[in-house]
Amino acid sequence: MDVRLTTEQRELREAAARLADDLGPGSVIDLDDADRAARLEKAVAATGWRSLRSDGASGVEVALVVEEFARGLVDVPFLGPVLADDLQARSGAAAEPVALAVGGEVVDARGLSAALRLVDNRVETTGVGEPVFGIDLTRTNAAVTEPVAAVGELAADAAQRWQALALVVTTADILGAARGAHALACDYAKVRSQYGKTIGSFQAVAHLLAESLALIEGSVSILRYAAWAVDELDPAEALRAGRFAKVYTERAARTICETSIQVHGGIGNTWECLAHVFLRRALTSGALFPVSLEEIDLGLS
């Protein structure tokens, strides 16, 4: 594979980053700003990025947008709808913005009234019920409700390829949250002073942040390969690559987010510090389509 991004891919990533930086929540208080969220929803809808896959985007391109949105804590539905869009395209289901259901829950469901889910190789449409408890403050999950109806069936290879994409998308979300937590810690270390010097100048703090950056770069590498594999490798191999990426990045992200909290010191354990919001998002995406080391070791597909 060629690891270099094309000009178009770099521009897509930069556009997603600008949108996240401009309209994403800059503080915990901003999560309750309905006007900001409405502007963000309008901007995301206008981009058409929720239908990236049906518009022909590659797994790499979808992952780039997801990663930047997570880094900026974009708190309107995207992860669920972009996976549902791919499922629609593969199954021939009606093309309308829908959420994604996994088991008995609808993921990333805010403002959406219908969902798609994959059960074995069967594609079903479901209703969206009342919100359910979740630790992620940037996304809303809901209960699956009636009506539930089968709307198509995927071939085994197509189902595996969609599952590989699902692992890549959730891994990209985890990586983006980890990058956001790391940037938050770096910014804090540049301004927080102790003993007359910024704490970022202390070797102990600098090493913690450098180690987190190394984990981020490793995650970027393994995720980029898995995202490329979605479209370029045999479905079973793509699924295996996605599993490796998910396990590595999930573990790395937990360390990175916890390091961010540690670098913030006492304030890192307060509600007002955004560090816990990044950690919550990383943990939630890690629990979606979970992967165990045993699955990888056994070579399950």
Side-chain angles (χ1 to χ4, degrees):
M1 63 171 288
D2 187 343
V3 299
R4 295 170 297 180
L5 298 180
T6 66
T7 300
E8 291 77 11
Q9 288 170 340
R10 289 196 298 271
E11 290 174 350
L12 177 66
R13 181 177 62 183
E14 290 165 3
R18 284 196 301 270
L19 194 156
D21 291 340
D22 291 345
L23 294 174
S27 67
V28 176
I29 294 175
D30 283 347
L31 291 169
D32 295 325
D33 186 342
D35 289 339
R36 177 200 59 79
R39 295 196 303 273
L40 177 58
E41 168 60 35
K42 184 177 180 180
V44 171
T47 64
W49 288 340
R50 287 174 176 142
S51 58
L52 273 171
R53 285 296 280 177
S54 59
D55 289 340
S58 69
V60 171
E61 288 154 358
V62 173
L64 290 172
V65 176
V66 171
E67 183 184 334
E68 290 301 330
F69 276 15
R71 180 195 58 79
L73 292 175
V74 166
D75 52 341
V76 297
F78 186 75
L79 180 150
V82 81
L83 285 175
D85 170 66
D86 186 82
L87 202 53
Q88 284 175 325
R90 293 183 187 279
S91 65
E96 60 184 36
V98 295
L100 177 73
V102 180
E105 282 194 15
V106 182
V107 178
D108 217 3
R110 187 184 308 169
L112 299 172
S113 58
L116 286 180
R117 69 180 175 188
L118 184 64
V119 181
D120 297 324
N121 290 355
R122 186 176 67 256
V123 180
E124 296 178 343
T125 182
T126 78
V128 178
E130 293 298 315
V132 298
F133 172 78
I135 64 169
D136 186 353
L137 302 181
T138 63
R139 291 182 295 215
T140 300
N141 286 7
V144 166
T145 62
E146 300 291 340
V148 176
V151 294
E153 188 163 340
L154 302 186
D157 282 359
Q160 280 191 327
R161 206 172 285 285
W162 183 85
Q163 290 163 357
L165 178 69
L167 290 175
V168 163
V169 166
T170 50
T171 301
D173 199 79
I174 295 168
L175 174 57
R179 284 181 53 215
H182 181 256
L184 189 73
C186 288
D187 289 344
Y188 184 77
K190 293 174 184 177
V191 299
R192 176 70 168 94
S193 295
Q194 195 65 265
Y195 308 113
K197 295 183 178 180
T198 56
I199 64 172
S201 65
F202 300 150
Q203 190 178 65
V205 174
H207 281 193
L208 284 174
L209 294 172
E211 288 166 3
S212 289
L213 182 58
L215 289 173
I216 288 172
E217 291 303 320
S219 299
V220 169
S221 178
I222 196 168
L223 170 61
R224 193 70 56 80
Y225 175 76
W228 169 83
V230 167
D231 302 303
E232 301 296 334
L233 295 185
D234 176 90
E237 285 300 312
L239 187 54
R240 184 172 171 81
R243 285 175 172 151
F244 272 108
K246 185 71 176 281
V247 167
Y248 181 93
T249 305
E250 182 182 0
R251 293 187 172 204
R254 183 172 299 192
T255 298
I256 294 163
C257 291
E258 290 175 352
T259 296
S260 177
I261 293 172
Q262 183 178 356
V263 168
H264 278 86
I267 197 173
N269 292 287
T270 64
W271 182 261
E272 289 78 10
C273 181
L274 270 174
H276 72 92
V277 183
F278 288 110
L279 177 59
R280 288 166 180 264
R281 183 152 176 160
L283 292 175
T284 301
S285 290
L288 187 61
F289 308 110
V291 179
S292 68
L293 284 174
E294 289 75 15
E295 287 179 275
I296 295 174
D297 291 341
L298 292 173
L300 299 179
S301 58

